[in-house]
Amino acid sequence: MAKRAAKRFYKEVTTVQAKDGWHIQLDGRTLKTPGKMILLVPTQKAADLIAAEWDAQTEFIRPETMPVTRLLNVAVEQTPDNREVLIAEARKYAGTDVLCYREGEVRLHCDMQAEKWDPILTWAATQGVSLKTTDSLIAITQDEVALDAVADFARSLPDMPLTLFVHLVAVYGSAVLAMAVLKSHLSGEAAFELSRLDEIWQIKYWGQDEEAQERTNTIRDEVKALCQLLED
């Protein structure tokens, strides 16, 4: 049986500056994570975004409409004790980065990949992440130095941006695109569209059903919401 949504139990949502960050309060009570930890966030921007999500709830609380809250819950509860696991995950994704696998038969598709993806890989090389490409279905072995550069970048991030980085890596299937977003080289939405290049090509010729389109729109909206955390 599906879990019933909780009813909204509060009237006012506010943010309060604390010693080491910001709290969100519901009718004066400090918001906690699902694991009952105080949701202490590092920036006023993050606090304001979470407060807006809670304030936007109507009769029932719908967690699926609160991506920033969900991400920060993870950043507070799980990331501090799992940083090396997350760093290793990002490094592993870089080894099979979606930008590195190209169409081997359809020339127009291959040309589009080169046009859209090559500039991003060129930029990544300036960041120490030089990745090889292939048109084979067989996985290629990337240079350890490049993979280590991805790991070093991830390790340099505080808990909140590290959590966002690894989430975007998984969404895009690309550590390079996620790095470009964290470094303000690409917007989150632009990176999302680049990550979907193969899918867009397939849709162009075979069409897309409504369910798949709805799922894509949901992910796009979540990426847009989460990437507001990177704005000043």
Side-chain angles (χ1 to χ4, degrees), residues 82-93 147-148 150-157 162 165-166:
N82 293 282
R83 286 183 58 88
E84 289 304 316
V85 173
L86 296 175
I87 292 164
E89 184 177 344
R91 187 184 188 279
K92 183 178 179 181
Y93 262 100
L147 302 183
D148 287 344
V150 172
D152 289 343
F153 170 72
R155 191 171 288 110
S156 73
L157 299 172
L162 174 60
F165 174 60
V166 176

Side-chain angles (χ1 to χ4, degrees), residues 4-129:
R4 294 182 61 184
K7 281 193 173 184
R8 176 168 173 158
F9 55 87
Y10 54 90
K11 293 183 179 179
E12 185 180 30
V13 185
T14 55
T15 61
V16 178
Q17 189 169 12
K19 181 180 178 180
D20 299 317
W22 291 78
H23 292 158
I24 301 88
Q25 295 189 336
L26 309 178
D27 291 341
R29 294 185 178 183
T30 300
L31 185 64
K32 295 183 178 182
T33 69
K36 306 303 180 184
M37 297 176 65
I38 291 177
L39 186 58
L40 178 68
V41 299
T43 65
Q44 183 177 4
K45 179 71 174 183
D48 288 344
L49 290 171
I50 293 170
E53 289 183 342
W54 283 86
D55 199 37
Q57 302 304 301
T58 52
E59 182 180 2
F60 293 98
I61 299 172
R62 299 173 54 212
E64 70 274 12
T65 67
M66 307 165 78
V68 180
T69 300
R70 298 198 312 271
L71 185 92
L72 268 296
N73 281 338
V74 173
V76 169
E77 278 195 349
Q78 301 179 28
T79 299
D81 294 330
N82 293 282
R83 286 183 58 88
E84 289 304 316
V85 173
L86 296 175
I87 292 164
E89 184 177 344
R91 187 184 188 279
K92 183 178 179 181
Y93 262 100
T96 56
D97 200 289
V98 69
L99 302 191
C100 297
Y101 289 84
R102 306 298 176 87
E103 170 61 40
E105 297 181 1
V106 182
R107 179 61 181 272
L108 289 177
H109 188 185
C110 180
D111 288 347
M112 179 180 292
Q113 289 172 326
E115 176 188 352
K116 301 292 186 180
W117 288 350
D118 283 357
I120 307 304
L121 290 179
T122 298
W123 170 84
T126 69
Q127 309 299 307
V129 184

Side-chain angles (χ1 to χ4, degrees), residues 141-214:
T141 301
Q142 298 290 358
D143 192 328
E144 293 291 323
V145 173
L147 302 183
D148 287 344
V150 172
D152 289 343
F153 170 72
R155 191 171 288 110
S156 73
L157 299 172
D159 290 342
M160 184 183 77
L162 174 60
T163 309
L164 176 59
F165 174 60
V166 176
H167 178 76
L168 292 177
V169 168
V171 169
Y172 300 148
S174 171
V176 168
L177 288 175
M179 183 183 293
V181 173
L182 268 289
K183 284 181 169 285
S184 301
H185 183 70
L186 288 174
S187 70
E189 290 177 277
F192 180 66
E193 294 307 316
L194 286 172
S195 75
R196 295 182 61 246
L197 208 59
D198 290 344
E199 180 183 349
I200 291 170
W201 182 267
Q202 294 295 326
I203 292 170
K204 180 179 179 180
Y205 287 95
W206 302 104
Q208 177 171 260
D209 60 56
E210 292 184 4
E211 184 177 343
Q213 181 64 55
E214 183 177 351

